[in-house]
Amino acid sequence: MKVVLPDNSELELPDGSTGLDAARAIGPKLADQAVLVRSDGRVQDLRLPLQDGQQLQILTTRDTEDADALWVLRHSSAHLLAEAVRRLYPGVKIAIGPPIENGFYYDFEFPEAVSEEDLPRIEEEIRRELAEGREWRREEVSAEEARKRFEAEEEPYKVELVDTADGPISFYTQGNFTDLCRGPHLQDSRPIKAIKLTGLAGAYWRGDEKNKQLTRIYGTAFYSQEDLDAYLERIEEAKRRDHRRLGVQLDLFHLSDVSPGSPFWHPKGAVIWNQLEALRRRMNEKHGYVEVRTPLIYDSSVWVTSGHWEKYRENMFLIPEGERTYGLKPMNCPGHMLLFNSRIHSYRELPVRYAEASPLHRNELAGALHGLTRVRQVTQDDAHIFVAEDQIEDELDRVLAYVRELYAIFELEPRAELSTRPDNKAGDDELWDHSEAILERVLRTHEMQYAIGEGEGVFYGPKIDLHVTDSLGRSWQMATIQLDYHQPRQFENTFMGGDNREHTPAVIHRAVYGSFERFIGILTEHYAGAFPVWLSPVQVRVIPVGEDHRVAARRLEEALAEFRIEVDERDETVSRRIRDAELEKIPYVIVFGDKESDEALAVRKRGGVQSTLSLEGLRAEISQVATL
RNA sequence: GCCGGAGUAGCUCAGUUGGCAGAGCACUGGUUUUGUAAACCAGGUGGCGCGGGUUCGAGUCCCGCCUCCGGCUCCA
């Protein structure tokens, strides 16, 4: 048989040769360092036989940054973790332990409570294993044999995994520890040069909150100590970017016990909000939206009609008032549908695009709240577009174009996801088939890469979501585009068609920022607090050198009043005031003393670049970036 | 909501086996009049998250609750 190497040369091997055989045929050193086979983007265990004509790349311990090479290292590390835990905690039940982005985890059911204080002890045990050395042995077994084995070991989670497994079942053994595992794994533990347990958390078995909660231990591993150190340093840097920290430092907002999940916006944070709000209005005007305002609270009958009462009530704040119960709106859609019904519409008016950015309230689970990215008071840049059936695709196309135009401004690169029917869907499958197909076609015409979010849709329809990752690697949904046939029927929305008959429109729900709160949180991290000039709460700060320069500084403030400008007259040294301006990430600082005049201003840009500009030259420069 | 951790001054944190609540920054007053990332001196910083309990005595020990942090689940 022959295999094709990365340089396109061919290697002749005996039939049935494995990846390791191939590595040996090339050289003993390669065989020694080999960790994984990759062919056509797929990874394969070194112990498995190769196919005739197969493309072959052998990854080694030197591929320290290769995602697949790290993946196998961490996967094997997870097994070492399980072995250590088994030894230290007799009676522990083991569940699953996959590699994940930046590390790995293993889920356990401990016979006793375990806390983070126990991690060093477990880590020590892993180090002992590493010092002794471990080799992995692979074997294929029948389902019956696998079952018998795990029943004998009293491992109920493994038994369940065997019972639900499809395809051949394989075991990997290292030391006295054997685990059900598809692989691939390292040949031995030598490449694991750095390993660290990073945390511990509860996690439901199979991700279902109806199941038992297990204890998940997180860790990470690298091919060198330097890589681990660099990773830990990156985590520290990410923490410095965290919008919760920067929000306090930059005096943008704060959160308080008195209203969990509802930010207090400070003057500087409000500037950013208002800039985004102005941009929203301009964009909406340009794209044919009309602004509306609808009530915040509605009688429960409205929520019964919309379906929220049945599908969403546990997330709503309810207000009993005499005989009635009001619900504080978690979404704008019902209000917009009631508004649409206030008069007869002609097909000639469609699409009708109602936009509104009023605060919504969602009673999110206490443990789900997170800074600005997960709040209870949500302000979506919402709109509902009423369209005739034959306008749907064209309109979705426009919405997607709008979204891309807006995200380009911030140089955000979101990932698209098509979210399909959820378990608690309203409406029949035929309608969902139809809606999902339309969204898919639109994504294709835009040639957008997208993932499928199986069952992630809203109860009334499927959606296209855009996701952005925060500084800590958590992914957040931002923009959403939802296609809804359900609610317009429920609210009996109609328009008169060209055939002089009543028709029911479809409604496209869309939010482009997603919510102001989350968007500002993500932007803060995206820019590490150094907002572009048009968003900066303070755009220019003037620092008079001494008391004698205050008058001139104030005159400068007036001369440049079209910008957000202020004078720092504090009795502090120039150095001190510059330092403070830098910490506040103000884009322009003007130092004004004896040497300066309108013809020659000392300008310092954020980061420390200094230049001399005339007043008009400075005005021209800032004007370029102070507005969009 | 669930698992684990935490809550002390506006912020970041220290506080031994239960024995008079601390530091730096910020803030206030004074000195200084400042030239591109922290001038100097002095000073108040406080219901130790909330409510019970144990104790002669609780920031410290016990119970309940709230909030926050890391995850899980759920979502913009």
Side-chain angles (χ1 to χ4, degrees):
Chain A
M1 65 181 278
K2 279 188 292 203
V3 291
V4 184
L5 300 176
D7 62 358
N8 276 328
S9 64
E10 293 187 343
L11 180 68
E12 195 77 44
L13 291 166
D15 284 358
S17 290
T18 65
L20 190 56
D21 295 332
R24 283 197 187 109
I26 297 168
K29 195 165 175 199
L30 181 68
D32 190 50
Q33 296 180 340
V35 295
L36 191 64
V37 168
R38 182 162 60 197
S39 54
D40 299 326
R42 298 240 304 274
V43 296
Q44 182 182 325
D45 197 288
L46 282 165
R47 301 160 186 81
L48 289 174
L50 302 168
Q51 303 290 316
D52 189 27
Q54 184 175 345
Q55 287 279 340
L56 180 69
Q57 182 189 2
I58 296 171
L59 297 175
T60 73
T61 54
R62 281 176 299 173
D63 293 303
T64 55
E65 288 177 19
D66 183 279
D68 290 328
L70 283 169
W71 191 86
V72 68
L73 182 85
R74 289 160 178 173
H75 195 175
S76 296
S77 300
H79 282 224
L80 293 180
L81 166 60
E83 183 189 347
V85 167
R86 255 262 191 92
R87 222 183 74 82
L88 293 174
Y89 299 89
V92 71
K93 309 289 176 219
I94 60 175
I96 51 167
I100 51 174
E101 196 174 356
N102 294 325
F104 61 87
Y105 67 80
Y106 212 108
D107 284 349
F108 304 96
E109 183 188 335
F110 281 96
E112 60 202 273
V114 170
S115 79
E116 295 206 5
E117 287 165 20
D118 299 293
L119 295 183
R121 196 169 142 237
I122 300 171
E123 210 173 279
E124 201 177 305
E125 178 67 16
I126 296 175
R127 280 191 227 292
R128 207 182 54 78
E129 292 168 3
L130 285 174
E132 286 178 13
R134 287 290 185 271
E135 288 181 16
W136 275 274
R137 207 176 64 243
R138 182 180 196 280
E139 58 183 316
E140 290 196 12
V141 296
S142 67
E144 298 84 74
E145 195 189 329
R147 191 168 211 288
K148 256 171 66 185
R149 200 145 159 185
F150 285 126
E151 277 177 347
E153 291 183 4
E154 295 178 32
E155 289 290 0
Y157 299 105
K158 291 296 178 188
V159 171
E160 191 179 328
L161 288 173
V162 169
D163 287 346
T164 52
D166 46 323
I169 290 178
S170 55
F171 279 161
Y172 278 85
T173 304
Q174 94 264 6
N176 317 318
F177 178 75
T178 298
D179 202 353
L180 172 73
C181 188
R182 203 172 292 138
H185 277 280
L186 298 174
Q187 300 180 81
D188 57 65
S189 61
R190 286 176 305 151
I192 305 173
K193 299 293 189 207
I195 190 164
K196 185 174 173 62
L197 299 182
T198 52
L200 170 151
Y204 300 104
W205 167 238
R206 299 207 145 175
D208 188 337
E209 64 180 326
K210 290 183 203 74
N211 288 339
K212 189 162 186 106
Q213 185 151 32
L214 308 174
T215 303
R216 176 170 297 177
I217 297 179
Y218 287 92
T220 192
F222 288 91
Y223 284 102
S224 76
Q225 183 63 38
E226 293 76 55
D227 287 352
L228 173 60
D229 292 342
Y231 169 73
L232 295 174
E233 176 49 39
R234 275 207 308 284
I235 300 278
E236 288 307 308
E237 169 57 26
K239 282 184 187 158
R240 286 191 280 274
R241 271 180 178 250
D242 191 319
H243 75 275
R244 291 166 300 182
R245 186 191 175 94
L246 283 171
V248 172
Q249 250 170 42
L250 301 177
D251 197 19
L252 302 180
F253 69 93
H254 82 267
L255 292 157
S256 160
D257 291 6
V258 299
S259 187
S262 300
F264 286 72
W265 289 93
H266 298 197
K268 286 180 180 166
V271 169
I272 295 172
W273 183 298
N274 287 337
Q275 290 302 311
L276 294 177
E277 172 63 21
L279 175 61
R280 179 188 79 91
R281 283 178 192 275
R282 282 202 302 279
M283 287 283 288
N284 277 350
E285 227 162 273
K286 175 175 161 190
H287 287 88
Y289 289 74
V290 290
E291 191 79 13
V292 299
R293 309 274 302 163
T294 56
L296 297 186
I297 64 172
Y298 299 82
D299 186 82
S300 53
S301 61
V302 170
W303 304 113
V304 171
T305 302
S306 69
H308 286 82
W309 199 254
E310 188 193 339
K311 311 281 189 190
Y312 204 78
R313 187 171 21 157
E314 66 278 15
N315 282 308
M316 288 176 62
F317 288 99
L318 299 177
I319 309 169
E321 168 60 40
E323 301 287 294
R324 317 174 77 170
T325 298
Y326 291 92
L328 197 44
K329 69 178 172 187
M331 301 181 191
N332 288 306
C333 27
H336 289 183
M337 287 171 194
L338 293 169
L339 174 60
F340 187 84
N341 279 352
S342 64
R343 67 172 173 81
I344 305 285
H345 293 272
S346 156
Y347 73 95
R348 294 177 215 274
E349 300 170 48
L350 301 185
V352 167
R353 305 184 184 92
Y354 290 149
E356 176 169 3
S358 52
L360 310 174
H361 290 82
R362 299 177 180 182
N363 197 358
E364 303 289 354
L365 294 176
L369 299 180
H370 183 92
L372 291 178
T373 46
R374 191 72 185 275
V375 291
R376 287 209 173 114
Q377 182 179 307
V378 191
T379 313
Q380 289 186 318
D381 60 324
D382 210 359
H384 293 92
I385 310 172
F386 296 77
V387 282
E389 180 68 31
D390 62 0
Q391 296 174 318
I392 293 175
E393 285 200 45
D394 181 54
E395 187 61 23
L396 284 170
D397 199 59
R398 285 164 194 269
V399 171
L400 214 47
Y402 181 124
V403 169
R404 300 177 80 178
E405 183 183 341
L406 192 86
Y407 278 69
I409 292 171
F410 300 97
E411 294 172 319
L412 285 169
E413 280 162 26
R415 298 175 311 285
E417 186 170 301
L418 173 62
S419 298
T420 59
R421 70 201 76 181
D423 290 340
N424 74 338
K425 67 183 192 306
D428 55 57
D429 279 316
E430 230 171 285
L431 208 53
W432 280 88
D433 287 339
H434 177 68
S435 309
E436 287 166 9
I438 292 176
L439 292 183
E440 201 152 6
R441 277 206 297 281
V442 174
L443 280 165
R444 292 239 175 84
T445 29
H446 272 261
E447 292 179 347
M448 284 175 73
Q449 296 280 331
Y450 62 93
I452 300 281
E454 206 70 59
E456 308 263 305
V458 203
F459 71 84
Y460 50 73
K463 55 181 185 161
I464 295 169
D465 295 324
L466 294 188
H467 296 255
V468 173
T469 304
D470 73 8
S471 68
L472 298 173
R474 284 180 278 227
S475 178
W476 298 99
Q477 183 186 316
M478 311 289 282
T480 183
I481 303 169
Q482 309 171 348
L483 179 56
D484 179 7
Y485 284 100
H486 177 72
Q487 289 189 82
R489 287 183 187 175
Q490 291 298 112
F491 281 97
E492 299 178 337
N493 293 140
T494 58
F495 65 91
M496 292 301 287
D499 55 4
N500 200 28
R501 300 235 283 262
E502 288 194 343
H503 297 266
T504 304
V507 165
I508 296 165
H509 308 236
R510 50 111 278 188
V512 187
Y513 294 136
S515 77
F516 282 78
E517 291 85 358
R518 181 175 290 178
F519 199 78
I520 293 173
I522 291 292
L523 278 190
T524 305
E525 302 191 353
H526 177 60
Y527 295 122
F531 292 98
V533 178
W534 71 276
L535 276 175
S536 287
V538 177
Q539 295 171 316
V540 188
R541 177 166 290 164
V542 186
I543 298 179
V545 172
E547 271 171 14
D548 298 345
H549 309 109
R550 286 182 186 171
V551 174
R554 276 186 229 131
R555 206 178 40 74
L556 211 51
E557 183 184 20
E558 264 171 54
L560 295 170
E562 71 258 46
F563 306 121
R564 293 188 289 275
I565 184 169
E566 56 185 37
V567 179
D568 184 352
E569 289 188 352
R570 285 177 307 158
D571 180 20
E572 296 286 354
T573 61
V574 171
S575 293
R576 173 50 184 269
R577 284 176 285 167
I578 283 178
R579 175 183 150 84
D580 287 347
E582 284 288 351
L583 290 176
E584 289 173 57
K585 302 188 191 289
I586 295 170
Y588 290 94
V589 174
I590 305 172
V591 176
F592 200 100
D594 286 339
K595 296 181 233 163
E596 283 73 30
S597 69
D598 282 1
E599 295 318 305
L601 294 171
V603 179
R604 179 192 166 103
K605 290 219 262 190
R606 186 165 51 197
V609 180
Q610 288 171 242
S611 59
T612 305
L613 285 173
S614 70
L615 178 61
E616 290 316 312
L618 178 65
R619 187 198 308 282
E621 182 180 325
I622 302 178
S623 295
Q624 300 249 324
V625 288
T627 48
L628 273 184

